[in-house]
Amino acid sequence: MFHKTQAVSLTMTAFFFCLPFAAPARAQTGSEMDRIKSIRQSVNGDTLRIVVETEHAPPEASVFFSTGPERLVIEFNDALPGTSAPAPPNTPMVESWGLKQVSLNRSQLVLNLDHRPPTSRVGVQTLTGPHRFVVDLPLASEWREEMALTKGIRWIREDRYLSGLWVRLNRVHFDPTDSNVSVAIGLAKEVTNARETVSSMVARYNAVAGINGGFFASSGGALGLVYRDGKMLAPHVSRRPPRSGFGMTKDGQPLFGRLAATGQAIKDLDGGDWTKTWMALGGGPRLIKDGSAKITAKEEELGPGGNDITRVAARSLVGQTKSGDLVFSTVTGFRDNHSQGAKFEPVVDWLRGLGVKDAVNFDGGASVDMVIGDHIVSDGPGNSTKEKPVATALLVKDSREKLYPSKADWVLSQTALKADGKSSADALITLKTESGGLVADGTPVRFFAHGLVIEPAEAKTSKGQVKVRLTSIRSPGTSRLSVLSGPLSSYKDVTLQGGEPKRLQVELLGRKKTKVEGIGELQRVNMKVQLTDPWGNPVANEVFQVAVNGTQAYPFRTDTRGMSSLEVETALAGGTILVTHPKAGDTPVKIDPLP
């Protein structure tokens, strides 16, 4: 019989079972579940191999990346945990991992990643004798790409470890004496007490690229020297010691020094000649002088005892190489520019390794941005925050044509797929420059997917186009395919559609005696009911009925995970609970006597 206390649990959280391997009463699951009997892992060079062995049949699994935070998910259909995950792989990419049951018919081995691999290429194999599923995850974290933005400006981006921390290193190189190239100080809204994003200033000045500039107050007022077109717009902050900055003469000669500004005059405390200065921007501290490390954080009260910025953080930098190139660069972390990035010492080592002979630091942390066209290229892939408006920016312009990929035109053969783990579609992407022309043949492209499987993971353009095949996983919802080429990042969403209810599963979780007024002693049975489609996906918001010992059937509804938690009361002598659905059929569950 049913009692008025029966309840349905509607929740979006994952279900965790107290006894996931053996129900306290006989469980009727609709079909026999396989068991995961062992998980092994090994690291061979730049590859992590994961081997998952099951008891009775080759595992049916999907492997896909997921965000929030970055994860690699290995999801097993009709296979439940019969073991636990061993110690996680000893590699910086994997922070932790765990095996868990996520529904009555599924389990997941989830790898929580410190950062996304530079390529989404993951190898999978299903083997027999014994039954096992093998996943090969590339561990190489280093990725380098170089691209001509114009005939006079080139951009290089690297993803790698710096002093044991994952960083994204961006740099723009150009000859400052090139007559087609010019450097400008972007001023937020053309006043000295406002803020504006670097993207907005790059667009407004029609620049090729730009980075954020000097320090500023919350109001937007510049906290340091701003000197533009031969005029002083803001002096150095008098209550602080003079700090380092960068400047240029009208004929394109770069200047680096520790700057004090009085009236319209700039004095270099390092002894340099700034009498021909045409533009200058204050930052600090100095990092490199005449090829040697010279971190002046203490002298400029930017270290311990002052406004300490020597911790790990994102960095914006300007330097000049021994060959004469001017370099605008940024150093950022995977998820966050405020607390991820690098300290000054490894940044100095990196710059000196590039042949930089003079360099100065500018505003860091959450202010850090490098923008090419209308594309932010400095943020790590896990950074979900938008760029922070700043007071000033350093911009580089070129009168020649912009050559980099700036736009992507998509043609998808299908925008909706069955969530069956095998339906596929083709995506044809045409890459164009800012002027609308096709990018050069051989332009490298990378593909990333969340909630999809893609092939290939990397390609090169032919007649401005690349093609990729995407395959569904067994998980209804919205999945995303992203294409990255140089500064360009573009994506399209694909809908994965579940099927009609096909299977009804019931799990008995426990039972106990209870006393009901006017009736007497009964046994209360806790149970979960799940409806799935032909591919094992949960079917949400679906009505099913439950009857006890042939009495009136009562309707219930599945939650967002295709499940319902019920309390059913029946006689101490036991009985039969009948769970029914018009498409998934009937599932009778025998309840034994309770002493």
Side-chain angles (χ1 to χ4, degrees), residues 145-150 153 155 157 208 371-377 401-409 429-446 459-461 464-466 483-490:
E145 52 190 324
E146 181 171 348
M147 185 167 288
L149 302 181
T150 68
I153 303 173
W155 165 65
R157 181 164 66 188
V208 176
V371 175
I372 295 174
D374 57 358
H375 307 288
I376 301 172
V377 299
E401 180 185 5
K402 298 172 184 176
L403 305 174
Y404 56 85
S406 183
K407 304 172 185 177
D409 293 337
I429 301 106
T430 303
L431 302 183
K432 299 179 180 179
T433 64
E434 187 176 84
S435 63
L438 298 177
V439 300
D441 283 357
T443 299
V445 181
R446 285 185 289 168
K460 291 185 177 180
T461 58
Q465 294 183 325
V466 288
V483 59
L484 285 76
S485 182
L488 172 67
S489 176
S490 181

Side-chain angles (χ1 to χ4, degrees), residues 117-255:
T119 173
S120 60
R121 183 174 58 252
V122 178
V124 297
Q125 300 178 73
T126 302
L127 305 173
T128 58
H131 305 303
R132 59 203 187 277
F133 189 73
V134 181
V135 177
D136 288 322
L137 174 67
L139 295 176
S141 295
E142 294 194 6
W143 184 272
R144 186 183 188 276
E145 52 190 324
E146 181 171 348
M147 185 167 288
L149 302 181
T150 68
K151 286 186 176 180
I153 303 173
R154 61 190 177 100
W155 165 65
I156 300 168
R157 181 164 66 188
E158 297 174 87
D159 293 347
R160 53 176 279 199
Y161 286 105
L162 194 66
S163 192
L165 301 173
W166 187 97
V167 292
R168 170 158 282 180
L169 306 170
N170 279 274
R171 47 195 166 103
V172 172
H173 288 241
F174 57 93
D175 178 358
T177 64
D178 185 332
S179 60
N180 295 286
V181 174
S182 60
V183 174
I185 294 176
L187 189 63
K189 301 179 182 178
E190 295 308 305
V191 294
T192 57
N193 61 348
R195 293 196 294 159
E196 185 180 354
T197 63
V198 177
S199 291
S200 175
M201 284 188 271
V202 166
R204 188 158 58 80
Y205 285 80
N206 192 29
V208 176
I211 62 172
N212 63 291
F215 304 107
F216 57 92
S218 57
S219 64
L223 296 177
L225 173 69
V226 181
Y227 187 87
R228 193 171 71 164
D229 299 333
K231 295 179 181 179
M232 186 74 66
L233 302 183
H236 80 275
V237 180
S238 59
R239 68 180 182 273
R240 301 288 187 187
R243 291 173 173 171
S244 296
F246 158 74
M248 291 186 71
T249 63
K250 202 168 186 178
D251 60 356
Q253 296 300 319
L255 302 166

Side-chain angles (χ1 to χ4, degrees), residues 273-494:
D273 180 7
W274 285 63
T275 57
K276 296 182 179 181
T277 306
W278 181 246
M279 56 155 283
L281 190 63
R286 183 74 175 261
L287 300 179
I288 303 173
K289 185 176 186 294
D290 298 328
S292 299
K294 183 179 176 64
I295 302 174
T296 57
K298 182 178 180 181
E299 298 93 315
E300 300 181 24
E301 294 187 3
L302 291 168
N307 181 24
D308 190 4
I309 62 171
T310 60
R311 59 177 174 81
V312 170
R315 308 291 178 190
S316 290
L317 318 151
V318 175
Q320 186 178 24
T321 65
K322 295 173 184 177
S323 63
D325 271 3
L326 202 56
V327 182
F328 291 176
S329 58
T330 58
V331 180
T332 51
F334 185 84
R335 293 189 179 92
D336 175 66
N337 287 345
H338 178 71
S339 61
Q340 292 185 331
K343 292 187 175 184
F344 285 132
E345 289 80 5
V347 170
V348 167
D349 290 343
W350 168 62
L351 291 173
R352 293 179 68 204
L354 300 174
V356 172
K357 67 180 183 67
D358 288 288
V360 66
N361 178 71
F362 282 92
D363 194 10
S367 299
V368 171
D369 269 308
M370 178 181 284
V371 175
I372 295 174
D374 57 358
H375 307 288
I376 301 172
V377 299
S378 52
D379 285 350
N383 191 338
S384 60
T385 59
K386 295 182 179 180
E387 59 181 329
K388 180 179 178 180
V390 296
T392 55
L394 281 165
L395 311 171
V396 56
K397 305 171 69 175
D398 195 328
S399 59
R400 292 166 291 200
E401 180 185 5
K402 298 172 184 176
L403 305 174
Y404 56 85
S406 183
K407 304 172 185 177
D409 293 337
W410 291 73
V411 177
L412 288 173
S413 62
Q414 296 183 69
T415 58
L417 298 172
K418 294 178 181 179
D420 57 3
K422 60 183 180 181
S423 293
S424 61
D426 291 322
L428 181 67
I429 301 106
T430 303
L431 302 183
K432 299 179 180 179
T433 64
E434 187 176 84
S435 63
L438 298 177
V439 300
D441 283 357
T443 299
V445 181
R446 285 185 289 168
F447 300 100
F448 287 94
H450 288 125
L452 288 168
V453 178
I454 56 173
E455 180 64 35
E458 302 141 43
K460 291 185 177 180
T461 58
S462 175
K463 298 180 180 179
Q465 294 183 325
V466 288
K467 187 175 182 180
V468 64
R469 169 153 288 196
L470 48 105
T471 303
S472 70
I473 61 172
R474 296 179 186 87
S475 184
T478 301
S479 299
R480 176 163 292 181
L481 173 64
S482 299
V483 59
L484 285 76
S485 182
L488 172 67
S489 176
S490 181
Y491 68 85
K492 287 292 182 181
D493 288 338
V494 177

Side-chain angles (χ1 to χ4, degrees), residues 20-81:
F21 310 133
R26 285 189 292 178
Q28 181 71 34
T29 62
S31 68
E32 192 68 27
M33 293 291 109
D34 204 348
R35 297 286 175 185
I36 296 172
K37 61 185 294 186
S38 70
I39 299 173
R40 303 186 299 276
Q41 56 89 4
S42 60
V43 176
N44 183 11
D46 287 335
T47 301
L48 167 63
R49 169 160 285 191
I50 302 168
V51 181
V52 181
E53 187 174 334
T54 50
E55 291 181 349
H56 303 300
E60 188 179 73
S62 295
V63 181
F64 54 94
F65 287 99
S66 178
T67 56
E70 199 74 19
R71 295 169 293 165
L72 179 71
V73 180
I74 308 172
E75 185 171 77
F76 298 92
N77 197 48
D78 287 350
L80 302 182

